[in-house]
């Protein structure tokens, strides 16, 4: 633990604030040219269980060859957040110079160290090195297991590595590590300390692949299995179903509305409201714009939801425009942090503006609630997850300096922008301008049938948007919580647009059914109905963990469910905002077009 703490502190001291922000704002290409006999640095990075992507440890925490004085590479904020901890290795690699069976070090392992290595190999630990920004991965050891008689359980350590490096002129294009012709060093039946020598070979191969196509070469030869393909059939099927659903909702609803407006406006000329057999949504026109309870909380939900809508759209657009290198460690994490800080002004503006329209006078409390609506649950969840990582010595635990850096960014950028946005929103707010006058005494709401209850509306309003993204959700989970690399951002943008469209249409339909039952409490219902998609996403995450992944252990489980909860919460805020906005515009439209005394 002391070694891990010293390691983390050194990494954090090598992250100046200016360097971090310049990295956030511009991509790092890593374009380096070499001359023959130039030294090529190989960095060791991290190790961890193959099936637990977020459980990683520093390479030198294992009993392996390590230099007397460990020198670390300066890392970007995104790399630190991604769990990277790069340090110079003992491998001596020279550009275009082959090496055969070069000794690396001689190790003497006691029984505890042998046990540690055996446990790592049994848990399928892999290692990650980095050479010229190219990740090189391989397994720590070899395990042979047989459940048939006679039972076989063999454990071996790879004490020799073959590095194969491809180059084009003066640039490195690709690198990997191989143990194809290597015999593992047996760790079976070890009853006393043992000695072994680690060796390595380096072989250089010319290639015609250009440096600009290096990313394609890396994708084609991944250490992790590739199963992400352009799933056109599933996407087309999802789009057809969604368009049919949207067309059904729009056409049917417009026909019903046209009939309602014709009947109500005709009855207005010669029939009193109380004489109509079915008054529907017309009779509650004096209550439908009655402001709901907990107005400040509702406005805060709308503000933070608008912020995350802008954040999600911004990240997808940035990737589509090629504004940063998606293959670089932590690039999207860095972009998300920067955009979150800058979009805080949106949450403050939307929340304060609508709160003032609804007659709210506790403006300061509204700003505090808005700025803490997401940051407070995030900080609590992150504290639990980070504590578990820290207790287990994982590199995913953020060091103290990084925590202070992120907190400073929020205090100096995020929170002030929320306040500034709130001031502009408050000062630019106008009257709510409801199409109908609201009476002082609320109308009694008749008993509603079970199919118009809030739980039923939430089930319908949450399931339909979830079904529109269920196919793509698997690929996103396989990327975030697996070993895949997501590059289908064009399809993701289309699915994101479909999700918002379905949420808006379903919200309008459910709101109409609610008002037709003379229930005017649509404010919170419109947020909860489609916002419940977040609950379906969380249930899917539980299903994915147990049935689609091989993740295990306290470290991975806590992180998975902690951040899955935050993801579901973000979807609740985003879709709740879209749902409410669509319902409000729909209600304004139908009551503006209704003739009233």
């Amino acid at each position: 633990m002391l070694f891990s703490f010293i390691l983390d502190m050194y990494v954090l001291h090598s992250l100046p604030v200016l360097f971090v922000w310049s990295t956030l704002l511009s991509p790092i290409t890593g374009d380096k040219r070499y001359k023959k006999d130039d030294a090529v640095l190989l960095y060791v990075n991290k190790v961890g269980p193959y099936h637990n992507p977020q459980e990683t440890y520093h390479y030198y925490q294992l009993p392996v060859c390590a230099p007397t004085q460990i020198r670390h590479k300066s890392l970007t904020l995104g790399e630190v957040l991604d769990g990277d901890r790069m340090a110079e290795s003992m491998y001596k690699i020279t550009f275009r110079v082959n090496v055969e069976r070069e000794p690396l070090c001689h190790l003497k392992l006691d029984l505890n160290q042998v046990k540690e290595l055996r446990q790592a190999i049994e848990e399928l630990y892999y290692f990650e090195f980095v050479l010229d920004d190219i990740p090189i991965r391989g397994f720590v050891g070899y395990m042979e297991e047989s459940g048939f008689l006679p039972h076989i359980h063999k454990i071996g350590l790879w004490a020799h590595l073959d590095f194969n490096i491809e180059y084009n002129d003066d640039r490195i294009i690709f690198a990997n590590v191989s143990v194809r012709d290597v015999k593992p060093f047996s760790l079976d039946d070890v009853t006393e300390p043992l000695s072994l020598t680690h060796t390595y070979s380096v072989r250089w191969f010319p290639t015609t692949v250009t440096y600009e196509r290096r990313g394609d070469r890396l994708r084609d030869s991944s250490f992790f299995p590739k199963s992400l393909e352009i799933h056109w059939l599933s996407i087309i099927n999802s789009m057809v179903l969604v368009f049919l659903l949207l067309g059904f909702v729009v056409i049917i609803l417009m026909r019903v509305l046209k009939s309602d407006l014709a009947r109500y406006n005709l009855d207005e000329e010669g029939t009193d409201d109380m004489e109509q057999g079915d008054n529907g949504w017309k009779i509650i026109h004096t209550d439908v714009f009655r402001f709901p309870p907990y107005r400040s909380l509702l406005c805060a939900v709308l503000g933070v939801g608008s912020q995350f809508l802008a954040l999600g759209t911004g990240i997808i657009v940035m990737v589509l425009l090629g504004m940063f290198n998606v293959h670089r460690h932590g690039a999207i994490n860095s972009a998300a942090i920067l955009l979150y800080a800058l979009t805080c002004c949106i949450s403050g503006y939307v929340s304060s503006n609508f709160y003032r329209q609804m007659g709210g006078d506790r403006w300061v409390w509204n700003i505090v609630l808005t700025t803490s609506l997401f940051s407070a649950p995030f900080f609590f969840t992150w504290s639990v997850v980070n504590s578990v990582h820290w207790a287990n010595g994982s590199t995913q635990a953020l060091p103290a300096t990084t925590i202070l850096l992120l907190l400073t960014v929020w205090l100096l950028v995020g929170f002030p922008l929320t306040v500034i946005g709130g001031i502009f929103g408050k000062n630019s707010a106008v009257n709510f301008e409801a199409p109908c006058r609201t009476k002082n005494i609320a109308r009694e709401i008749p008993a509603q049938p079970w199919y118009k209850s809030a739980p039923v509306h939430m089930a319908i309003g949450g399931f339909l948007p979830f079904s529109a993204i269920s196919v793509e959700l698997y690929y996103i989970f396989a990327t975030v919580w697996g070993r895949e690399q997501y590059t289908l951002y064009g399809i993701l943008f289309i699915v994101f647009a479909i999700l918002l469209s379905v949420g808006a249409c379903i919200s309008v339909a459910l709101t109409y059914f609610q008002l037709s039952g003379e229930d005017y409490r649509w404010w919170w219902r419109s947020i909860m109905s489609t916002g419940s998609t977040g609950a379906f996403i969380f249930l899917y995450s539980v299903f994915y963990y147990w049935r689609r992944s091989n993740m295990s252990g306290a470290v991975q489980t806590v992180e998975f469910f902690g951040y899955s909860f935050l993801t579901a919460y973000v979807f609740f805020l985003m879709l709740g905002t879209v749902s409410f906005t669509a319902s409000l515009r729909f209600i304004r439209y139908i009551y503006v077009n209704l003739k009233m005394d």
Side-chain angles (χ1 to χ4, degrees):
M1 296 301 294
L2 179 61
F3 176 87
S4 179
F5 175 77
I6 296 175
L7 190 66
D8 290 343
M9 290 301 296
Y10 184 93
V11 170
L12 271 221
H13 282 298
S14 65
L15 287 173
V17 175
L18 292 178
F19 179 76
V20 168
W21 285 105
S22 64
T23 302
L24 288 173
L25 293 172
S26 61
I28 297 179
T29 60
D31 185 2
K32 187 173 182 180
R33 299 175 183 269
Y34 298 90
K35 296 179 180 178
K36 194 175 186 306
D37 297 331
D38 280 355
V40 180
L41 285 179
L42 176 69
Y43 294 97
V44 300
N45 191 12
K46 53 191 176 183
V47 295
Y50 183 84
H51 296 298
N52 288 355
Q54 276 66 45
E55 184 179 350
T56 56
Y57 307 93
H58 197 278
Y59 179 77
Y60 286 144
Q61 289 182 246
L62 287 178
V64 294
C65 295
T68 305
Q69 182 179 2
I70 299 176
R71 292 182 293 184
H72 294 87
K73 179 184 178 183
S74 296
L75 301 176
T76 66
L77 178 61
E79 289 171 333
V80 174
L81 294 176
D82 202 42
D84 291 341
R85 301 293 186 269
M86 300 184 197
E88 292 184 10
S89 69
M90 297 179 63
Y91 295 95
K92 304 298 181 182
I93 299 178
T94 305
F95 188 67
R96 297 177 58 180
V97 175
N98 293 333
V99 173
E100 291 293 336
R101 293 284 175 177
E102 181 74 14
L104 181 66
C105 75
H106 182 75
L107 284 181
K108 292 184 178 180
L109 303 176
D110 58 31
L111 293 180
N112 288 332
Q113 290 175 321
V114 172
K115 180 180 179 182
E116 185 178 355
L117 283 175
R118 284 180 55 88
Q119 183 178 357
I121 295 171
E122 288 175 340
E123 295 181 6
L124 296 180
Y125 268 48
Y126 74 98
F127 62 82
E128 179 179 289
F129 299 160
V130 178
L131 184 144
D132 195 49
D133 287 336
I134 300 174
I136 302 175
R137 302 182 181 96
F139 287 103
V140 173
Y142 165 83
M143 182 177 67
E144 181 179 354
E145 185 81 24
S146 174
F148 300 99
L149 294 177
H151 178 70
I152 299 175
H153 184 77
K154 294 182 179 180
I155 300 294
L157 175 69
W158 297 121
H160 176 83
L161 297 177
D162 290 326
F163 292 95
N164 304 306
I165 307 175
E166 298 178 11
Y167 67 94
N168 186 336
D169 194 16
D170 56 355
R171 290 170 166 178
I172 296 177
I173 304 300
F174 178 73
N176 68 359
V177 64
S178 173
V179 290
R180 179 179 300 177
D181 301 323
V182 179
K183 182 179 180 180
F185 186 91
S186 178
L187 298 181
D188 296 322
D189 302 324
V190 178
T191 58
E192 59 184 19
L194 57 83
S195 300
L196 73 156
T197 300
H198 282 268
T199 59
Y200 67 98
S201 299
V202 181
R203 302 183 181 96
W204 293 85
F205 302 93
T207 181
T208 58
V209 178
T210 62
Y211 185 82
E212 290 72 22
R213 302 297 300 274
R214 185 168 81 156
D216 298 336
R217 181 72 177 89
L218 294 175
R219 286 194 299 269
D220 294 338
S221 302
S222 175
F223 170 73
F224 303 115
K226 299 185 292 294
S227 62
L228 286 184
E229 299 177 353
I230 301 180
H231 36 286
W232 290 112
L233 183 61
S234 299
I235 294 299
I236 293 174
N237 180 59
S238 178
M239 292 178 64
V240 169
L241 292 177
V242 167
F243 287 142
L244 289 176
L245 173 64
L246 294 180
F248 175 80
V249 170
V250 172
I251 294 174
I252 297 300
L253 203 57
M254 290 303 295
R255 290 178 62 89
V256 172
L257 272 180
K258 185 177 180 180
S259 175
D260 284 352
L261 287 171
R263 176 164 55 89
Y264 289 154
N265 291 334
L266 179 63
D267 291 339
E268 183 69 27
E269 298 178 359
T271 307
D272 187 60
D273 283 348
M274 298 305 295
E275 297 175 1
Q276 298 179 28
D278 181 16
N279 293 292
W281 50 267
K282 176 186 177 182
I283 201 172
I284 60 172
H285 68 275
T286 58
D287 294 284
V288 72
F289 291 104
R290 186 181 305 279
F291 294 142
Y294 310 110
R295 286 177 290 175
S296 184
L297 178 60
L298 184 141
C299 295
V301 169
L302 299 180
V304 180
S306 301
Q307 177 186 1
F308 277 104
L309 282 171
L311 174 62
T313 305
I315 290 179
I316 297 176
V317 171
M318 288 175 65
V319 178
L320 291 176
L321 296 177
M323 296 182 63
F324 54 82
N325 186 1
V326 298
H327 302 292
R328 186 169 178 82
H329 287 188
I332 294 183
N333 291 339
S334 301
I337 292 174
L338 175 62
L339 285 180
Y340 176 80
L342 296 179
T343 54
C344 283
C345 58
I346 297 177
S347 64
Y349 179 87
V350 173
S351 177
S352 180
N353 185 275
F354 200 67
Y355 183 65
R356 179 53 62 94
Q357 289 186 42
M358 297 175 69
D361 53 2
R362 301 180 62 187
W363 173 76
V364 176
W365 165 248
N366 175 253
I367 291 297
V368 172
L369 183 60
T370 301
T371 195
S372 60
L373 191 64
F374 174 77
S375 59
F378 173 80
F379 179 76
F380 174 77
T381 303
W382 170 83
S383 298
V384 174
V385 173
N386 200 68
S387 298
V388 173
H389 281 298
W390 180 82
N392 287 271
S394 172
T395 59
Q396 295 290 336
L398 295 185
T401 314
T402 299
I403 297 173
L404 292 177
L405 174 63
L406 296 176
L407 183 61
T408 301
V409 170
W410 184 80
L411 290 175
L412 299 183
V413 180
F415 182 73
L417 284 179
T418 306
V419 176
I420 293 173
I423 294 174
F424 278 97
K426 176 178 68 71
N427 294 335
S428 62
V430 296
N431 294 330
F432 186 73
E433 296 182 356
C436 308
R437 181 176 56 86
T438 301
K439 290 184 178 180
N440 294 330
I441 300 176
R443 181 184 179 87
E444 183 178 356
I445 300 173
Q448 301 293 313
W450 65 270
Y451 54 83
K452 289 187 177 181
S453 63
V456 174
H457 278 201
M458 291 174 63
I460 297 174
F463 176 76
L464 291 177
F466 170 78
S467 64
I469 63 171
S470 57
V471 174
E472 203 67 19
L473 202 61
Y474 166 78
Y475 293 95
I476 296 175
F477 269 66
T479 300
V480 177
W481 302 110
R483 299 301 186 181
E484 311 294 350
Q485 189 174 65
Y486 195 95
T487 56
L488 310 176
Y489 290 99
I491 294 178
L492 181 62
F493 184 78
I494 295 174
V495 173
F496 184 64
I498 291 175
L499 172 65
L500 301 184
S501 302
V502 173
C505 289
I506 294 301
S507 174
V508 169
L510 293 177
T511 300
Y512 173 78
F513 294 143
Q514 181 182 0
L515 298 182
S516 297
E518 301 178 11
D519 185 355
Y520 51 83
R521 300 168 300 182
W522 64 272
W523 301 79
W524 278 108
R525 178 77 68 85
S526 64
I527 291 179
M528 301 299 294
S529 59
T530 309
S532 60
T533 304
F536 284 89
I537 292 176
F538 185 77
L539 292 176
Y540 177 82
S541 69
V542 176
F543 167 78
Y544 180 88
Y545 181 86
W546 294 111
R547 306 296 298 178
R548 291 289 183 266
S549 75
N550 294 311
M551 294 182 286
S552 61
V555 174
Q556 184 67 46
T557 301
V558 170
E559 172 151 349
F560 179 86
F561 286 107
Y563 289 129
S564 293
F565 166 76
L566 286 179
T567 301
Y569 182 53
V570 168
F571 271 89
F572 164 77
L573 295 173
M574 287 196 306
L575 294 179
T577 300
V578 172
S579 175
F580 176 85
T581 303
S583 295
L584 177 60
R585 290 182 177 274
F586 168 74
I587 293 174
R588 282 185 179 274
Y589 170 79
I590 63 175
Y591 282 102
V592 163
N593 289 277
L594 181 66
K595 294 180 181 179
M596 292 170 289
D597 294 336

